[in-house]
Amino acid sequence: MILKVIQADITAIEVDAIVNAANSSLLGGSGVDGAIHRKGGIQILEACKAILAKQGKCKVGEAVITTAGNLPSKYVIHTVGPVWNQGGIEKEQLLTNCYLNSMNMAIENEIKTIGFPNISTGIYKFPKELAAKIAIETVRSFVDSSKLQEVMFVCFDLENFELYKKLLKQ
Ligand code: AR6
């Protein structure tokens, strides 16, 4: 499994699946969620509504999968990151679960290449360095890593991009 970091808009990248930093409603929002729904089109929202009707809201740390609509990728895996608020070990575990459940969802769908945004580090205010360490550590220690070809960390802001470059060298 190859680990990569790039600075880009995740809606523009060509991988089997991009991950969305969604909220429990699965109905869209701002940030990367807004960009994915805007560019991916109504098909993504319709698929999210169908999941919502079937299983209810998506819990924090869990992941669901939909079509990617008009985006260049095939699928969108929607995961719900924790709101940092006061922080704590429980929040760290929930962020770990986002990465684990997204990768497990990818494998179940025979996805080989996946792009992650920096989940929870925008509106949900998770500290960027801690979030990056959790993301890298979780992906590196993933037991089924041989079933994935490439995991890409797709950073939007320069601060995250520099952090990932530094941490991936270690
Ligand atoms: N491509 C890649 N990364 C992006 C893009 C993009 N087009 N746009 C923003 N980012 P956020 P959260 C980065 O706030 O903190 C939504 O309203 C951004 O720079 O999108 O998990 C949801 O509906 C940051 O590093 O997600 C939820 O309610 C990262 O994506 C809530 O926000 C995550 O920032 C989720 O908050």
Side-chain angles (χ1 to χ4, degrees):
M1 181 181 74
I2 299 165
L3 273 190
K4 261 193 198 162
V5 57
I6 58 164
Q7 189 179 18
D9 176 345
I10 203 164
T11 61
I13 67 162
E14 282 184 45
V15 283
D16 294 339
I18 59 168
V19 176
N20 181 18
N23 60 62
S24 291
S25 83
L26 296 174
L27 296 176
S30 53
V32 68
D33 194 11
I36 287 172
H37 278 278
R38 224 172 16 251
K39 295 197 189 160
I42 192 77
Q43 285 165 274
I44 299 179
L45 186 62
E46 293 302 330
C48 284
K49 283 183 181 165
I51 291 168
L52 207 54
K54 202 172 151 196
Q55 66 173 55
K57 289 186 173 188
C58 184
K59 295 197 182 102
V60 178
E62 294 187 357
V64 300
I65 190 165
T66 68
T67 169
N70 302 325
L71 299 176
S73 53
K74 293 192 199 97
Y75 300 98
V76 176
I77 295 172
H78 307 259
T79 188
V80 183
V83 179
W84 176 252
N85 206 1
Q86 305 290 310
I89 195 79
E90 187 199 332
K91 301 294 170 79
E92 295 179 33
Q93 187 56 53
L94 288 168
L95 187 61
T96 303
N97 293 349
C98 287
Y99 286 90
L100 281 179
N101 288 325
S102 297
M103 287 188 288
N104 282 325
M105 185 60 89
I107 286 172
E108 279 168 32
N109 289 277
E110 292 175 2
I111 285 160
K112 297 287 179 202
T113 56
I114 181 170
F116 279 102
N118 308 131
I119 302 164
S120 282
T121 68
I123 290 157
Y124 285 175
K125 298 241 171 343
F126 209 103
K128 288 180 181 174
E129 180 147 12
L130 180 58
K133 282 181 176 161
I134 290 170
I136 292 170
E137 169 64 24
T138 307
V139 171
R140 275 191 174 146
S141 58
F142 185 53
V143 283
D144 273 333
S145 62
S146 63
K147 293 181 181 157
L148 292 171
Q149 270 166 18
E150 187 176 285
V151 174
M152 205 185 274
F153 294 110
V154 185
C155 301
F156 202 53
D157 55 279
L158 185 62
E159 190 186 349
N160 265 317
F161 184 52
E162 297 293 351
L163 263 171
Y164 273 81
K165 277 196 292 187
K166 182 187 86 180
L167 292 170
L168 281 167
K169 276 187 202 140
Q170 290 169 10

